[in-house]
Each structure stands twice: as structure tokens, then as C-alpha cells.
Amino acid sequence: MAAAIRKHSKVILSRAKFIEQNLRHFTVGQSLLGNTWFIYDKAKKKKDFIPVEHPIKIDKTPEAELQPIVIPDKIERSPTAILEALASTVRNDINQPMYSSIDDPYLYCNSDVLKKNNMAAKDSGRKTARMMMSMYPEYITQIWEEPLPEVWRDIVQGYVHKEPSEAALLERIAKRKVSDAIQVYEAVNPKSQLSQETVEKFLELLCVFNSQSPDIPSDVQQFIEPPSFIKDAPFPAVTWQKESLAEQVFRDLPVKTTAAYCYLIRGMATYFNKNGAMSLFREMRAANFTADILTYNDLLSVASLDLETMEEVILEIETLLKDMAASNVKPNVQTFNSVLFSCNRVSRWSGCKKFALSVMSEMKALELEPTLATYLQMLKIFYDIKDKSPKTKNADLFLDMLNNMESKEYQLTCENDLLFFRMAMRVITTHLPDAKIALRLHTIFKTGKNSDLVGHRQLQFTYYSDLISLITQLENTDVVMNLYQSVCPFIFYPTSDIYLMILENISLYNTYQYIPVIYTDIQRGNYFVDKNFALTFFKTLAQHKHEPTLQGQLCDIVQSLLAVWKLKQEKMHQLPAIDGDVIGEMIIIHLNNDDHVKACELFELYKHTRSLRKTSPSALSLSKLAKKLISVPDYNAAKNVMTTMLALDYEGIPDLVETCLDLLALPEEERMYLEGLARSAPSKTLSESTSSSSESSSSDSDSD
């Protein structure tokens, strides 16, 4: 056997050979089999054996025979089943930058507009990639094991069937190319060569898209560009094309089937042609055809159109529901959603709310679980956000809805599901301003994947804007910042007004330790270009003297913004709005840190930079700086500050001069100079001098 191995001959080692040689050790067999024994947990043949003191007795009775081993059938799983199982064990932090810029902070989107532009650019790149793949498929091969989607390959290459035929018509129907399908249908002659099933599919295409080619946006485009929702308008215009090709195709059908009737009725109802849909429905029932549940749902959604009283609306709805019961068509959730949808148009009519509650009771009796669209219609009926009356709405119905929704994860059933969370938060802020209710709704929003149902970009922005604004006004800073850090800045970019509310909340609850947390996001969002915002921010920092660590962090914020300001001085682009007022607050922040050197540097920067002298530091900031310099002592710097205060007509100079004369041993010449300053100082009140500080011009500061 060894010779055969050396000659590369085939060697067959039977399992029986290993069994017979109990006391032998086949090194050649081990070299051939490798670690197979270890992989499959089989006993390895060894040369030495350890004897068993008490051998196991084997029962050889017929009852002790081993049962046959049953191997279960293989469970078909997706290629990513293992990855999905692993992903379910970890928590995904969605509040993070886009993957393309996650390692480069300079590419982070610092506003909602930039986020929109970034996503739009990504969508354009995908369209370009698909175009290149369709134009040059021979260069893009052997990358994916699975074939590319057909919609990617056929962007430029066109259709497989070029000539008019049934196959060509079916191909264009599958691709939802309405105009091309119409051309093929009109070119087929005679029409009798088209089967009944093909013509019905063509009719369905025409009814769904109203005989017009649809503009199907991508998922990214639908997110960044909000679609229009006009179906719940009180008096929507009829957009169905009368005497269209769809009606002609229906009339030319050799056999009118149930499916053909349902397609045309649903098309008319979708585009608000209620009279045509109801007339065709009565014709269908006269022909002993039974409509399906989708057709009934569409008819119920337009039942309230062209009616003048609530009694007529209820009668129309009940007639359709009784017809469903007579036809043994079982209603579903969408049936009740359509009824509520129709009632929403007449929600201001008396009796509408009572009828809506009866619909919900019937839905509960049938053990149907409401969807987000169901709750949305109830909110619109009972809590009209357009109603600006000061009367507070009753919160009982809203709280019952939240009780039913807690700990449940919802799926997307229709486009109205995407409007619920935004509508619910708007109802809270308008009629039920309670932070506890808002936080309960947000807890439901975070359950499972419910956050994916927030809708497009604008709905997401308004939802978080209303939520954070309400919580900031009614809760303490710990609750506010817990919410802030979970969504900001990569999911939601707060506006300057929201940041001002957060600063007011921090000042109210004396929680200045959160200032460094929000500063980075504020700086990244370029909010300091607004003068009022910058002044309010640094006034908040200068209100109190804090413990050394926090006060040092506030001073670091001042120096950080100054560094940005100096860096952008050359470019003059998005320059922070730093002037004399802001410099005065920065001086107080450094004085609270007992750092008179940095404070004096800020004063000198103000004195020697013309652009900063549009406004002047406050009298309080210069007075504090002068007192600190006198106590150091630094007479020359204090003298410079007091001279500037005199030029700005600030009061308090006599007190500073008296303190300086008492504490410092000065030459007679300097003492006479200070006494002259005191005599020249104005005798205004502090409030008058403070109000005049922002109105002083640069010429006043140069008069000394």
C-alpha cells in the first residue's frame, strides 16, 4: 500500500479493515483521513486501550432492540438566515451618521437640507449605476451569483418581444409600461387573437393607472420628496378619464366577467367617479355577479361624496354593508377603515362621531385588530387639528387608543399608516399638551419597527420637532437630554428655536453640565452665525459661576468658538456672529473661572478688531474685569478698561477709582489721572448705561 501511495495509485481502505485491526495503528490511514475523526466526533483508533473494570452488560432481548433513527426533513432557509439570527441579538443604534461618512466627521450632515441633498445624490448615483449596468452588461459579470433584477437590465436594452403580439402585451403589462402597452394593444389586429385573461390584465393596468403612464419614484425619492395625499379632501375633484380606453376595452370584452367589473369599478372609485362606479356596481349586481372585498372597500371610501346630510351618508354605507352580508363577503380591517375614511369627510356634521364609535364597536365584535390607519381616521374625526378653539378636548379616547397600542408592533397596510404618528403628536401638542402622553406615544413609536412607519422626511421632522418642543417646555432637563441624545443630531436636526428652549430649560433647572453635550451639535449646525442665538447662548453660560471642572469646560467652549472665528476670518463664509456684546459675555465666563489673563486677551481683541466694535461689551462685564485687574493687581490693564468705560459713558467708574486708590500705591500723577476719570464719569443708573451699551458706535470707543 505504501508503494501504491508513492506511485500515486488509488488506494481503497474499507471500514471493515479498520474494524478487524483492533490493536493496530494505521499511520497511513490517519494521513489519508486527516482530522475526519475529530470533525465528526468518531472514535479514533488507538494502539493502547484502557481495560474496563466493570464491562457494560448488553440486553439482547427483542424488546431492547434499537428504534430506527428518524432524520427530520431539511428546513429551507434563506442565504442570510444566520446573519439575521445574529443581528436579532444586538441592538442597532440608528442615531448615527450615514455609513458613507461614519469615519469622517467633516462629511457629517449638519442640517436637514444637507441630509436631503446627500440622499438625493445617493439616489442619483444608484440610477446612474443601473443605467451603466444595462448599457454595458458584458463588463459587469461574475460579481453576483444570482442574476440581476430584470428592471435593472432592461432600462436601455428594451423589450424582448418587438412585434405586436400577446406576448409583447404581457411583457409591457408586467413592466407597468402603460403607454407602450396601449400601443401594442391598438396594433394587434384582430383583437380576437388576445385571450380573455390577457385583456383582463390589460384592463386592470388601465384602471390602476387611469390609462396614463405612472411616474414611479424610487424609495429614496419617496422619502425625501413628500407625496401628495388628497384622497381625504372634503370635495375631491373627479380625476377619472371619462370615455377612456379602459371603458372601451371593457365594452369590447366578449365575456363580461366578475374580475372585469371589479377592475373598472375600483378604478372609477379610486379616481372619485362615484356616480360611474355605483352605476356599474348596480349593473354588476343585476347580472348576478358578486363583487370582491376590494371593490366593496373602494366603494365605501367614496360613499360620502355628493351627499348633503349625515343620514344619507349612513344610509349609503349601511346599504353597501348589507349587500356584502347578503353576498357572503366577509369584511376585513380595510372595510372599516374605508367607512371611517368616508366619515372623516363629514366629521363636522352632527352624528358623525357617534356613528364612528359604533363602527369601532362592530370592528371589535368581529375581533379585527385596528391598524394605524384606523386610529388615524379616529383622530381626524374626534381631534381636528384645524380647530383653533381654546376649548380643551377630552383625552379619554386618545388614552384608550394608547392602551390598546402599547407593546404592539404594526405593519404597513396602506399609505395612511404613515401619517398616524405625526398626526397623533400634533393632536397632543394642539389639544392635549401633556408630556406624559407624548412620552407614552413615543414609547409605542420605538416598539419594534414602528419607527419605520413615520413616513417621509417632512413627517419625521415635524414629529420630532413637536415632541422635543413639548417635552422641553414641560419636563426637567434630564428627561429632555435623554430624548435629545437618542435622536439628535443624525435622525433629527433641531432648529435654533428648539436649542433656545433647551438653553432656557437648562437655565431653569440649573443643569449646566449639559451645555458641553449640545455645543458640538450647535457648532456643527452653524447656528452661531445668528447674532441673537450666539448672544443668548453665551449669556446662559455667563449667568453663574460653576464648579472648576464645568467652568473650565465652558471656557474651552469660548476658546473653541474663537478659534473657529479666527479661522473663518479669511474666508468670510459662515462666520460666527461675534461682536462686542458676545465678547462681554465671554469675558464674564473667563472671570468666573478666575482667569483674568484670557479675559484681558478678549478685551484687547475687542479693542484692536474693528469688526467687533459694532456693539460694545456690557457695563457689567467691563466693571467685573476692572475689579479683577485691580485685585491682581494689574494697574495698566485696569486703567485701560476704566478709560474704555468712560468712553462708552458707563457708570461705576467712581467706585472703581476709589477701590484702585485704596488698594494700590500709585504715583501722584496717576492718582490725579484717576480722580479726573471719576469726575468725568456720567451719573446714570446701571439700567440706563446697560441699554446704551449696544447703541454705542465704534467712534465712541476710539475717542480716548
Side-chain angles (χ1 to χ4, degrees):
M1 184 172 63
I5 292 175
R6 287 194 297 270
K7 294 180 181 180
H8 304 286
S9 301
K10 187 175 182 181
V11 179
I12 301 176
L13 297 176
S14 62
R15 185 172 180 81
K17 187 69 176 176
F18 285 100
I19 298 175
E20 293 175 0
Q21 304 295 335
N22 290 330
L23 301 178
R24 296 187 60 184
H25 183 61
F26 286 101
T27 57
V28 176
Q30 287 182 340
S31 64
L32 290 175
L33 297 176
N35 294 328
T36 306
W37 302 113
F38 296 103
I39 295 175
Y40 293 97
D41 295 332
K42 296 181 179 179
K44 181 181 178 182
K45 304 300 181 181
K46 292 188 176 181
K47 185 175 182 180
D48 299 328
F49 289 88
I50 301 176
V52 181
E53 297 180 0
H54 302 286
I56 301 174
K57 295 182 180 181
I58 301 176
D59 188 3
K60 297 184 179 180
T61 58
E63 293 80 4
E65 293 182 359
L66 297 177
Q67 297 296 329
I69 299 175
V70 178
I71 301 177
D73 295 336
K74 180 182 177 182
I75 301 176
E76 296 294 336
R77 302 185 186 277
S78 65
T80 60
I82 297 178
L83 296 178
E84 292 173 357
L86 293 175
S88 64
T89 62
V90 297
R91 179 179 176 273
N92 181 25
D93 183 12
I94 59 175
N95 185 25
Q96 57 184 352
M98 294 183 180
Y99 180 78
S100 58
S101 61
I102 195 170
D103 294 327
D104 193 347
Y106 288 98
L107 297 179
Y108 290 174
C109 296
N110 53 23
S111 68
D112 187 67
V113 176
L114 289 180
K115 182 179 179 180
K116 173 186 175 181
N117 294 339
N118 193 335
M119 298 184 70
K122 183 183 295 186
D123 187 50
S124 299
R126 290 177 178 175
K127 293 179 181 178
T128 304
R130 292 180 182 180
M131 181 70 70
M132 297 300 294
M133 291 168 64
S134 63
M135 293 176 63
Y136 307 102
E138 64 276 8
Y139 297 112
I140 309 174
T141 57
Q142 305 300 325
I143 299 179
W144 300 274
E145 295 182 359
E146 300 178 359
L148 293 176
E150 185 178 357
V151 68
W152 290 18
R153 297 196 305 267
D154 297 336
I155 297 177
V156 175
Q157 294 177 1
Y159 300 104
V160 176
H161 303 281
K162 308 293 185 181
E163 299 298 327
S165 63
E166 184 173 3
L169 181 59
L170 290 174
E171 182 183 9
R172 285 150 181 80
I173 293 174
K175 296 179 183 297
R176 294 182 290 184
K177 302 295 184 181
V178 180
S179 300
D180 296 344
I182 292 176
Q183 292 179 1
V184 172
Y185 176 80
E186 293 177 347
V188 174
N189 193 15
K191 300 291 190 299
S192 58
Q193 66 178 347
L194 298 176
S195 64
Q196 175 82 10
E197 182 181 1
T198 301
V199 177
E200 287 182 358
K201 288 183 178 180
F202 178 61
L203 176 62
E204 181 184 13
L205 179 72
L206 296 177
C207 294
V208 169
F209 297 108
N210 199 13
S211 304
Q212 297 176 353
S213 296
D215 182 14
I216 303 176
S218 63
D219 295 338
V220 177
Q221 186 177 353
Q222 283 184 332
F223 178 76
I224 62 179
E225 296 292 342
S228 58
F229 296 94
I230 61 172
K231 292 185 177 181
D232 56 349
F235 304 101
V238 178
T239 56
W240 174 259
Q241 295 184 7
K242 294 184 179 181
E243 300 300 328
S244 61
L245 181 61
E247 298 181 13
Q248 179 182 346
V249 171
F250 177 78
R251 289 193 298 266
D252 294 342
L253 278 174
V255 180
K256 306 273 191 310
T257 61
T258 302
Y261 273 108
C262 290
Y263 293 152
L264 190 56
I265 292 173
R266 293 207 296 264
M268 290 180 175
T270 301
Y271 296 98
F272 311 114
N273 185 8
K274 176 190 173 182
N275 295 331
M278 294 301 298
S279 176
L280 192 62
F281 174 72
R282 288 189 287 268
E283 177 185 333
M284 176 184 180
R285 297 295 291 142
N288 293 326
F289 289 116
T290 301
D292 57 10
I293 186 62
L294 297 177
T295 304
Y296 278 111
N297 292 345
D298 287 344
L299 289 174
L300 288 170
S301 65
V302 296
S304 60
L305 295 178
D306 303 330
L307 298 179
E308 297 180 356
T309 63
M310 189 65 199
E311 289 74 14
E312 293 179 350
V313 174
I314 296 176
L315 180 61
E316 186 86 3
I317 293 175
E318 289 180 347
T319 301
L320 289 172
L321 293 177
K322 290 178 181 179
D323 191 83
M324 287 179 60
S327 303
N328 293 324
V329 178
K330 186 177 180 180
N332 56 14
V333 177
Q334 189 58 39
T335 304
F336 292 95
N337 289 350
S338 299
V339 173
L340 294 174
F341 186 80
S342 188
C343 291
N344 178 37
R345 294 194 182 94
V346 292
S347 59
R348 296 190 178 184
W349 294 2
S350 61
C352 179
K353 294 180 174 60
K354 183 178 179 180
F355 181 72
L357 291 176
S358 65
V359 171
M360 292 296 294
S361 300
E362 183 68 20
M363 189 176 182
K364 184 177 181 180
L366 294 176
E367 297 182 352
L368 294 176
E369 185 67 25
T371 63
L372 294 181
T374 310
Y375 294 125
L376 172 69
Q377 301 306 326
M378 293 298 291
L379 288 179
K380 289 184 175 181
I381 293 173
F382 285 87
Y383 302 96
D384 186 7
I385 60 176
K386 297 180 181 179
D387 184 9
K388 302 300 181 180
S389 61
K391 186 171 97 171
T392 304
K393 302 290 184 179
N394 191 349
D396 293 341
L397 178 64
F398 194 91
L399 294 177
D400 289 341
M401 291 170 52
L402 295 184
N403 293 334
N404 295 330
M405 295 177 65
E406 283 181 341
S407 304
K408 292 181 181 179
E409 183 176 357
Y410 292 89
Q411 304 295 328
L412 181 64
T413 59
C414 63
E415 63 183 13
N416 283 329
D417 289 340
L418 303 175
L419 302 175
F420 169 75
F421 285 108
R422 181 259 185 186
M423 179 68 182
M425 188 57 65
R426 183 56 58 89
V427 167
I428 294 175
T429 57
T430 305
H431 299 296
L432 311 170
D434 190 336
K436 300 295 187 296
I437 299 178
L439 291 176
R440 283 187 62 187
L441 177 65
H442 189 59
T443 302
I444 298 172
F445 177 77
K446 295 188 297 182
T447 302
K449 295 184 178 180
N450 290 343
S451 58
D452 295 341
L453 304 179
V454 70
H456 55 77
R457 182 181 58 88
Q458 289 187 6
L459 293 178
Q460 184 187 71
F461 181 85
T462 53
Y463 170 82
Y464 284 115
S465 179
D466 291 344
L467 173 63
I468 297 179
S469 298
L470 182 64
I471 299 302
T472 304
Q473 297 177 50
L474 302 178
E475 286 290 339
N476 60 70
T477 315
D478 294 334
V479 177
V480 174
M481 292 307 299
N482 185 27
L483 175 62
Y484 174 88
Q485 292 177 324
S486 65
V487 298
C488 300
F490 299 113
I491 299 177
F492 169 69
Y493 297 95
T495 61
S496 59
D497 293 335
I498 293 179
Y499 275 120
L500 290 176
M501 285 192 293
I502 294 177
L503 290 174
E504 184 179 355
N505 185 283
I506 289 174
S507 177
L508 177 64
Y509 291 97
N510 195 21
T511 51
Y512 291 89
Q513 67 272 15
Y514 289 112
I515 292 289
V517 177
I518 65 174
Y519 168 72
T520 303
D521 299 334
I522 294 175
Q523 171 58 30
R524 186 184 295 125
N526 294 324
Y527 291 115
F528 287 113
V529 298
D530 183 7
K531 164 64 188 307
N532 293 329
F533 181 86
L535 182 60
T536 304
F537 179 83
F538 286 103
K539 276 186 176 181
T540 305
L541 270 62
Q543 281 182 353
H544 303 287
K545 182 175 182 179
H546 309 285
E547 51 92 14
T549 302
L550 177 58
Q551 193 65 45
Q553 293 176 348
L554 300 184
C555 292
D556 292 340
I557 290 175
V558 171
Q559 295 300 319
S560 173
L561 189 63
L562 281 175
V564 174
W565 179 80
K566 293 176 182 178
L567 182 64
K568 293 185 176 181
Q569 276 284 77
E570 300 177 356
K571 301 179 182 179
M572 297 300 293
H573 177 64
Q574 292 184 336
L575 193 67
I578 297 179
D579 55 9
D581 291 335
V582 177
I583 290 293
E585 303 302 328
M586 291 179 173
I587 289 174
I588 296 178
I589 295 171
H590 279 291
L591 292 177
N592 290 338
N593 196 38
D594 297 328
D595 189 352
H596 69 281
V597 177
K598 293 292 185 182
C600 199
E601 289 178 358
L602 286 169
F603 176 74
E604 294 297 329
L605 178 65
Y606 161 75
K607 290 287 292 182
H608 295 91
T609 307
R610 180 178 295 273
S611 62
L612 298 180
R613 296 200 298 270
K614 296 178 181 178
T615 58
S616 303
S618 63
L620 179 63
S621 61
L622 295 183
S623 178
K624 284 188 174 183
L625 178 59
K627 290 180 181 179
K628 183 65 177 178
L629 293 174
I630 292 172
S631 63
V632 172
D634 188 347
Y635 169 71
N636 292 329
K639 174 184 174 182
N640 193 10
V641 173
M642 288 187 290
T643 305
T644 303
M645 292 179 64
L646 178 63
L648 297 174
D649 291 336
Y650 288 163
E651 73 157 5
I653 297 178
D655 296 335
L656 295 174
V657 169
E658 183 179 356
T659 303
C660 188
L661 294 176
D662 293 341
L663 298 180
L664 302 179
L666 300 174
E668 187 64 24
E669 181 180 355
E670 294 296 334
R671 298 177 70 88
M672 292 177 62
Y673 177 79
L674 292 178
E675 291 174 356
L677 282 180
R679 288 192 298 269
S680 303
S683 58
K684 294 189 297 183
T685 61
L686 180 61
S687 59
E688 292 174 343
S689 62
T690 303
S691 62
S692 63
S693 62
S694 59
E695 300 175 359
S696 58
S697 61
S698 59
S699 60
D700 294 333
S701 61
D702 292 337
S703 62
D704 58 326

